[in-house]
Amino acid sequence: MNLTNPFFDADGDKLHEECGIFGVLGTRDAAAMTALGLHALQHRGQEAVGITSFDGMEFYSRRGIGHVAQNFSSVDAIGELPGMMAAGHVRYSTTGGAGLRNVQPLYADLASGGFAIAHNGNISNAMTLRRDLVTKGAIFQSTSDTEVIIHLVATSRYPTLLDRFTDALRLVEGAYSLICMTPEGMIACRDPLGIRPLVMGQLDDAVIFASETVALDVVGAEFVREIEPGELVQVALDGTIVSHRPFVDAASRMCIFEHVYFSRPDSIIGGRSVYQVRKAIGEQLAIEAHIEADLVIPVPDSGVPAALGYAQQSGIPFELGIIRSHYVGRTFIQPSDGKRHADVKRKHNANRALVAGKRIVLIDDSIVRGTTSMKIVEMMREAGASEVHFRVASPPTEHSCFYGVDTPERSKLLAARMDVEEMAKFIKADSLAFVSIDGLYRAVGQAQRNNTRPQYCDACFSGEYPTRLTDLGDREAAVLGKTRAKVKG
């Protein structure tokens, strides 16, 4: 649901998480710790960053376009954010598009006092709620779906802020992990299905919340536990922690793509190492789609753990046949297709001396549009590879995501338009195979996918969305209505 995003990933062919969030209460260095935590979550959002702090009397905010280091590396920048409580957000825009006004945390002065909110996810009925709120007189300052939550809290008739916040969340659909700050303390919560991740840690007297455990590691905090699906954790300024369960219990449906690509490999999800899971996916690939070859080569960096697993399971040597330049950043203009293809070569270069004359198995985490995969296969052939076989550490991405992932329209997803054989021809590979959905589930520790009640959200593979998609239905109805009007005319 990326509406107006002028930022462009040089690859042009990866799914992007919307954002990462971090919050801390109970330390004098709250803003500095938040900046450090966000730096560990930079992979979740590279477009913009913001931090809001509270010193017991006032809220302070600083937001900027670009990376954490560009905006929060100086003493002066951190000095603008005093207080023992702070929350931050790194962003890659989906709903609402780019622009400083959409950079979080969003802040508002409510009747109960200041209210700041950082959101990871996507509200799938945000446009419907926004339309109703505007009709009732609400004035929006951003185009972010997150601001809908602020207005719902502001207009709720319940007596306490916690009740108003819970009332607001009962009206929203979709996915959310939230960190909120109020004059009374911090609130952290996940949606009833737990689609997006959120963990809690502790460092001395400070309570910390973050999208991933790696952020706790980087600030030196101890992992306490994951916030449960549908749980709302309230931390008072004096450090008192209270857990609330305001929603009807539902089976967890966390996004399975966190294991495949989004999370850093040194994070822990559900008690499992992301790195080990990705190696296990590679092992499943080797079991399901073995091919005689000379080398197993990852598409760096996301394909490395799966390639290691494939190599160990198959007995084919693992080698770095593609060298990635770590100094090629994101492009802040919309490049032509020709420039996009040049960017792929600037970022990845074949290790020609290694691959020449070899039969190679390329391992990548996913295929989205297929353009990058095609250029990498071409690169391997130009370097002299005799055969190029492509293996993918996820099932075919056939459906768009509406839960906080920047996915192209379904018509632009290669797997939505072609079968596997056609895709292989498109990317010019000698063969192509994806891990099965049951193989993916085995890699994350399940016997297989429960087709009646799936254990994860895998809608991008299966098309089975775990929540209602009200806004999508409204848009489709509007398009259908226009089509009928044109036909009638």
Side-chain angles (χ1 to χ4, degrees):
M1 294 176 67
N2 186 0
L3 305 179
T4 57
N5 184 12
F7 296 82
F8 186 81
D9 188 291
D11 289 343
D13 197 19
K14 287 289 184 184
L15 300 182
H16 292 276
E17 242 284 18
E18 179 182 347
C19 56
I21 57 177
F22 185 96
V24 57
L25 188 157
T27 178
R28 294 184 181 278
D29 302 319
M33 185 181 292
T34 299
L36 186 58
L38 291 177
H39 192 273
L41 300 173
Q42 187 75 84
H43 59 286
R44 300 183 74 89
Q46 301 176 43
E47 181 178 300
V49 57
I51 297 177
T52 299
S53 70
F54 179 67
D55 67 357
M57 296 292 292
E58 294 185 40
F59 286 85
Y60 304 83
S61 291
R62 181 182 173 92
R63 300 181 290 173
I65 302 299
H67 290 185
V68 178
Q70 293 173 263
N71 291 280
F72 293 101
S73 59
S74 71
V75 173
D76 290 342
I78 298 299
E80 294 177 11
L81 301 164
M84 297 182 68
M85 179 170 66
H89 186 275
V90 286
R91 185 169 195 265
Y92 182 92
S93 66
T94 56
T95 298
L100 198 58
R101 64 175 175 163
N102 290 322
V103 179
Q104 298 183 31
L106 298 183
Y107 175 81
D109 284 305
L110 306 183
S112 56
F115 185 83
I117 182 169
H119 172 207
N120 173 22
N122 203 62
I123 299 171
S124 56
N125 64 336
M127 289 193 295
T128 303
L129 292 171
R130 184 187 181 102
R131 203 161 45 236
D132 292 342
L133 287 162
V134 169
T135 300
K136 295 174 183 176
I139 300 174
F140 282 76
Q141 300 299 312
S142 75
T143 55
S144 169
D145 60 337
T146 309
E147 192 178 357
V148 168
I149 297 175
I150 295 177
H151 284 278
L152 291 174
V153 173
T155 56
S156 173
R157 296 180 179 274
Y158 280 84
T160 69
L161 177 62
L162 183 65
D163 287 338
R164 291 197 293 274
F165 184 54
T166 302
D167 182 42
L169 294 183
R170 288 196 176 106
L171 296 175
V172 304
E173 302 169 3
Y176 56 82
S177 284
L178 301 170
I179 296 175
C180 305
M181 296 196 304
T182 76
E184 286 74 41
M186 183 169 283
I187 302 170
C189 66
R190 290 175 75 188
D191 66 77
L193 297 179
I195 297 173
R196 302 257 69 88
L198 191 64
V199 298
M200 180 167 67
Q202 189 155 5
L203 179 60
D204 299 324
D205 295 329
V207 179
I208 301 168
F209 300 100
S211 292
E212 295 181 38
T213 60
V214 66
L216 303 179
D217 297 337
V218 168
V219 302
E222 178 185 357
F223 170 72
V224 175
R225 64 181 180 86
E226 295 185 353
I227 304 303
E228 296 294 326
E231 182 183 16
L232 190 153
V233 178
Q234 189 176 24
V235 185
L237 292 179
D238 64 4
T240 303
I241 301 173
V242 180
S243 174
H244 304 272
R245 304 277 184 164
F247 307 107
V248 176
D249 287 342
S252 174
R253 294 288 298 276
M254 197 185 84
C255 172
I256 201 166
F257 220 86
E258 290 285 349
H259 284 291
V260 174
Y261 178 70
F262 294 143
S263 294
R264 259 179 52 163
D266 45 346
S267 281
I268 306 293
I269 298 177
R272 292 182 174 274
S273 159
V274 173
Y275 176 80
Q276 292 296 341
V277 167
R278 289 178 187 168
K279 281 189 68 177
I281 296 172
E283 292 169 5
Q284 287 293 323
L285 257 178
I287 293 169
E288 296 177 359
H290 178 76
I291 191 78
E292 291 297 323
D294 301 309
L295 299 175
V296 174
I297 294 175
V299 177
D301 291 321
S302 56
V304 171
L308 283 168
Y310 190 102
Q312 290 174 6
Q313 178 66 36
S314 66
I316 303 171
F318 170 94
E319 293 286 356
L320 295 179
I322 301 172
I323 306 302
R324 180 188 173 192
S325 170
H326 292 269
Y327 303 98
V328 179
R330 302 177 68 222
T331 304
F332 287 81
I333 58 173
Q334 279 284 12
S336 64
D337 283 343
K339 186 176 187 304
R340 178 184 302 142
H341 295 161
D343 280 336
V344 171
K345 288 197 171 186
R346 282 197 304 127
K347 193 169 186 177
H348 298 113
N349 189 49
N351 191 346
R352 185 178 297 271
L354 183 71
V355 304
K358 299 293 196 306
R359 300 168 299 169
I360 65 172
V361 181
L362 283 175
I363 309 287
D364 205 356
D365 59 89
S366 60
I367 292 180
V368 184
R369 295 179 179 90
T371 51
T372 300
S373 303
M374 177 176 62
K375 299 310 295 183
I376 288 176
V377 170
E378 284 184 3
M379 185 191 303
M380 293 292 97
R381 294 201 187 280
E382 290 171 1
S386 60
E387 295 178 15
V388 182
H389 302 278
F390 213 102
R391 297 294 180 266
V392 186
S394 61
T397 304
E398 296 186 40
H399 304 271
S400 297
C401 177
F402 301 96
Y403 300 123
V405 178
D406 182 41
T407 316
E409 296 175 6
R410 190 169 185 231
S411 62
K412 295 180 180 178
L413 294 171
L414 195 64
R417 299 185 284 113
M418 302 179 183
D419 61 26
V420 174
E421 186 175 341
E422 291 170 330
M423 293 171 72
K425 291 179 181 177
F426 179 85
I427 68 171
K428 303 176 183 178
D430 290 291
S431 72
L432 171 66
F434 297 78
V435 73
S436 68
I437 198 159
D438 280 337
L440 177 59
Y441 271 76
R442 282 191 288 274
V444 298
Q446 304 289 334
Q448 61 183 25
R449 183 181 191 266
N450 184 332
N451 294 327
T452 303
R453 298 183 66 184
Q455 303 94 315
Y456 288 86
C457 177
D458 56 21
C460 55
F461 308 132
S462 67
E464 298 178 23
Y465 296 94
T467 74
R468 289 184 298 177
L469 301 174
T470 299
D471 288 347
L472 178 65
D474 288 349
R475 287 198 300 273
E476 289 177 343
V479 170
L480 182 60
K482 290 180 181 177
T483 302
R484 286 175 174 169
K486 288 180 180 178
V487 171
K488 184 178 180 180

